[in-house]
Each structure stands twice: as C-alpha cells, then as structure tokens.
Amino acid sequence: MHRISVTTLLLLTITACLQAQTGTGESDIARVADTVTHNTRHAISVLPLSLDLHIGYEHSQINSSAFTSAILLNYTPQDWVKTNIGFRVSTHSMYSFAARGDFNWRPGNKRSCLTLRNQYNYNIYGASNFQDLNISLAAAYDHPYFYIAAGGYARMFTNIKPPRGSRRTTIWEPGLVYDIEGRIFPKQHVWNIGLQITNMRLFVIERFYAPNFILKGNYRINGYADEHLNLQVQTGFQPAGLMHIAVNYYTFFLNVGITCAI
Amino acid sequence: MALASCDKYDISGFFHSSSDTVNKRFSQSLEIDSSNADTPVAMDSNNYSVYVISDLHIKTTAKNLAQLIDIAATDPDAGFVAVLGDITDQKGGHYIAYDTINEHRPGTLPLYATVGNHDLYFGQWTSYKKLFGASAYYRTVQTPDTADLFVFLDSGNGTLGHDQYRWLASLLENHRPSYRHCIVATHTNFFDVDLGQMPTGSFTLEETAMLTSLFTRHNVTMVINGHDHHHETARFGTTLYITAGPAMDKNPDSGYSVLHIGDNITCSHHLFQ
C-alpha cells in the first residue's frame, strides 16, 4: 500500500511538472516516457567497447567435424557508427579475419534505423592452400523486431602459395549479400529468440545461393537492455543445391558466446 | 505460366530432393559401375578428341544431341562423347535421349554421362540410373604411348558429398601419377565470374576451396562442366576450368565443346547449325 502511494505520488509530481513546463497532458507524458526508453536504448548501443567470445562446432559433408573459437572487439564511438574487428580459428586450419562498420541514420521514428553496412572478410584455408578476400556493402533496415539487409560483394580467390612451377592465378567473383532476421521480442528484451536467413555470417560471406538458416537466442544477465553481459547461442544449417532446386545437407553448426563490456 | 514452370522445375527440391541423396547415388554408382572401370578406350594415336555436350534440357526432341553424335561419329580421332548433365527437366526426357543415342551412335563410339540437377527433378534419378548407369566413375583412354584418366563426378546437388569426395581424393592419390592427363568432368561450375545464369548455384565456398586445392595438388589438367549455360574458361592454380555452353534445341546459343587431346589439351567451342 505504502509503495503504491509513493509511486502514485511520484507520478502525480512528474505529471504536474510536465504540465507546468509545457502545458500539455497525458500524451506528452507518454512521449517523454518513450524518449526515456529510447535514451536507455541509445545508452546500450553506445557502450564504447565490448568483447565477444565464441566457441563452436561445425560439421560439413566435405570437412567432417571441426571446432572453432572466435574473438570480436566491438567499438561504438557514437550512436551513428558501430565497428568491430575479429579473428576466428578452426581445427581444420582455417583462419578468418573480419572487420565491419555500420553507419546508422535514425530518421523520425528512432525505434528503427537505416544502416549502411560495410564488411571485410579474409579467410585462409590453410590445409587447402586457398585464400579468399571478400568486400561487401549492404543497405539495412534495423527494427526492434526484425533486420533486413541487402547488397553486393566482390570476392577474390587465390592460392596462398602459387603451385610449384606455376604463377599465381586470381579469380574475382561478384555476388549478392542478404541478411534477414526476425525475433519474438524487441531486441532489448532480457531474452530473445530469432530466426535468420543470410549468406553473411560473422567471419564468412558465403556465395549468395548457399544461405544459412539460423536459430538464435540470447539472455542478458543484468536484465532488460543491458549489454554488459549477454549470453548468446546459435545453431543452424546450410544446404547445398538450394538454387539447383535439389537440396542436400551440407553443413550444421552450433555456436555459444558471450558479449561483455570492457 | 506457373503450371508450365511446375512441369520444368520440381519446386519440392527447395526443401527435399525427390531423388536419392548424393551419398546414396554415389554408393549405387559404385555398385553399377563395378565391372566397367577397367576397360580402357583404345585409341590408335596419342592425339584424339573428346566431344562434350551439356544442358540439353530435352522436352520432346533431342536434335542437338543427334547432331553432335553424327559429327563425332564421322571424326576418326573421336575418343568418346561426354554428356555433362541436365539431359532433361521432365519425366520421359531420359528415354528420348536414350533412344536418340541408340539411333545415331555407331557401336564403337563410347558415350559417358553424368547427372545435372535437372536430371534429379521429379525422382528422375531412377530413369537416369536405368538408362545411363552410374553418375560417378572413371574411365581411361589408352593410346600407343600413354594413357589419360577421365573422372566423372556427380554434382547434381551442388556438392559431391562426403563419400564421393573421399573416393575422388583416394583415386587421385593412387592413380593420377600413372597418367599423362587427368580430366575431371561434372555438371556444376566452380566459379561464377559473370553471374552468367543468375540465380543458379555452384559449390559452397568451403567445397570450392577443397576441390580446387585437390585438383591443383594432384595436377588435374582440366575440369570441364556445364550448368551455367555460358561458355567460359578460367585457370586457377595449375588447372584449366572450362564451362561448356548449353545445348537445348531451338536455342541460337546452343553448342558443344571439343577437347583436342595430345601432349597439350586445347578446347574449341562450336555452335549447332
């Protein structure tokens, strides 16, 4: 009873202050409350430095089983720019480097934003004397419940060392990127589950006709909208032959990770 | 239009292929071909030709296939004809191809085939297997002074699958050094430098890395494939990658490729008349 009374009193005080300052009523209170929420959201997104640590398991038709571990450093100096850089290693002697910059613009309704996403991926297939560099640029729409990105990439294949008695050969390949994700709660929610279809994974941009189907979840240990400790898990598969219209299992993967503020 | 498309494309294949999986097809191919692999094609000269046709997509006629066999049959240097998949989209198409081959091919000219993704639509692996046999196997060509190895791979699902990949790696490891050339023939293309037949698919990135590496490591001379409906040549590592053009009837771009095999290999592309 006492608590309710205090809360009611506080609300009445705030209401009175707002009315006194702006001469407006209940709708403005709601708007102010919404702004507070958004400021909280912005406070999440501008955590300047955080670290992602991941471990994973992958199985593929050709490569059988592999274990992976990855580290990713996120740097968000301003709300309008987010960057990250990371490294992943797999027990199949595959080494991946990734760098990404997201440039955000929040027109009008600040719940969503338009993003220009620029991603660089470099993969070394150590056991296969093969390396690929991928540069992609995509436009994205980021909403609390979903994320859609589409764009293009340019990829370069070449051997790590040219074969004996042969000069280096390089192949350039263009392609499309896409990333579609939906979730059951707004992304600031304490826990969430989402579905994602994409050829843009963190460390590998796959050819556009080989999408990954991903089920993902997360849990914020410190509660709503707090990014200081965020547990993540994702599992997915990648079929071969989707655009052959003759699918066949190709890859299964499972990753667990944590994001922690530095 | 939608109904016509459904005759051509097996939409269920987006979720589950109506033919056997690649691992099952490979297992069946080994069984079907167990008695054939040790019979080489004998040539009188160290220089000979191989005629390659792909992506016929037969509906009711197989005029281009007939024309190619007629051309190869009159070439005294012809070693064999290779058909690199997508023989048909529709049920019954394999029978039209089979009848055409029997009608035109002289008994002495071998013809080797492998499957494309369209050959797997509507459960057609059954008719392919019955009429053409294995989809993954190897053949050798014996000339007076040397011999060449030809490996046919089943890439109808855009992957070789675990078992076929292991078999290929073992075959190249154990047999490749005994031959002058090693030529790999399959349906799916390895590189997609021009988005030729967008949005068709090739192998995943990982499989591209592992296969191209395998080919370079074992000095595979040439890889020839179809699928992209666009004639293209690329070199990666020590291997030459040729994509044969399409061969559908009533298509002005339809053609075939001829591999001129001697100490070196050259490839020429010809349009059907």
Side-chain angles (χ1 to χ4, degrees), chain A residues 60-63 125 128 130 155 157 163 169 172-174 176 206-207 209 240-248 250, chain B residues 10 13 22 117 121 157 161-162 166 188 190 192-193 198-209 213 216 237:
Chain A
S60 81
Q61 280 276 1
I62 301 300
N63 231 346
Y125 298 78
S128 297
F130 187 93
R155 186 194 303 284
F157 301 114
T169 48
W172 283 93
E173 196 177 83
L176 303 177
E206 183 54 86
R207 285 162 156 170
Y209 36 74
L242 189 79
M243 295 311 291
H244 284 62
I245 322 181
V247 294
N248 198 95
Y250 186 76
Chain B
D10 184 357
V22 66
N117 50 312
Y121 293 178
N157 291 113
H162 176 270
R166 295 284 176 274
T188 300
F190 287 78
D192 196 9
V193 298
M198 195 174 170
T200 191
S202 58
F203 296 93
T204 64
L205 198 56
E206 177 191 66
E207 192 160 349
T208 302
S213 161
T216 297

Side-chain angles (χ1 to χ4, degrees), chain A residues 128-150:
Chain A
S128 297
N129 187 29
F130 187 93
Q131 56 185 329
D132 95 280
L133 172 69
N134 189 304
I135 300 169
S136 69
L137 189 64
Y141 181 68
D142 192 0
H143 184 272
Y145 282 96
F146 61 87
Y147 176 86
I148 299 173

Side-chain angles (χ1 to χ4, degrees), chain B residues 47-198:
Chain B
N47 303 321
Y48 62 95
S49 304
V50 171
Y51 287 78
V52 179
I53 189 169
S54 184
D55 298 85
L56 294 98
H57 296 275
I58 291 169
K59 292 179 174 63
T60 55
T61 61
K63 289 178 184 169
N64 286 341
L65 178 61
Q67 191 180 337
L68 176 80
I69 294 172
D70 289 344
I71 292 166
T74 57
D75 179 357
D77 294 330
F80 61 88
V81 172
V83 182
L84 301 187
D86 280 3
I87 296 168
T88 187
D89 309 313
Q90 301 170 356
K91 281 191 170 177
H94 286 143
Y95 288 90
I96 294 170
Y98 185 75
D99 291 344
T100 303
I101 290 164
N102 283 338
E103 194 179 321
H104 288 261
R105 181 170 62 115
T108 51
L109 181 67
L111 184 143
Y112 302 126
T114 187
V115 289
N117 50 312
H118 287 252
D119 296 309
L120 303 176
Y121 293 178
F122 309 109
Q124 290 189 101
W125 166 242
T126 310
S127 59
Y128 175 92
K129 184 172 59 172
K130 179 181 168 189
L131 300 173
F132 301 102
S135 59
Y137 53 94
Y138 70 90
R139 292 290 181 270
T140 57
V141 174
Q142 183 67 53
T143 70
D145 300 322
T146 188
D148 298 319
L149 175 66
F150 291 82
V151 186
F152 291 83
L153 299 176
D154 180 338
S155 58
N157 291 113
T159 177
L160 298 189
H162 176 270
D163 300 343
Q164 189 178 192
Y165 177 79
R166 295 284 176 274
W167 170 82
L168 173 65
S170 168
L171 179 71
L172 294 176
E173 180 76 36
N174 296 320
H175 294 276
R176 169 65 184 102
S178 311
Y179 295 93
R180 174 179 60 171
H181 296 302
C182 175
I183 296 169
V184 169
T186 190
H187 179 68
T188 300
N189 49 305
F190 287 78
F191 300 108
D192 196 9
V193 298
D194 61 353
L195 294 178
Q197 192 203 4
M198 195 174 170

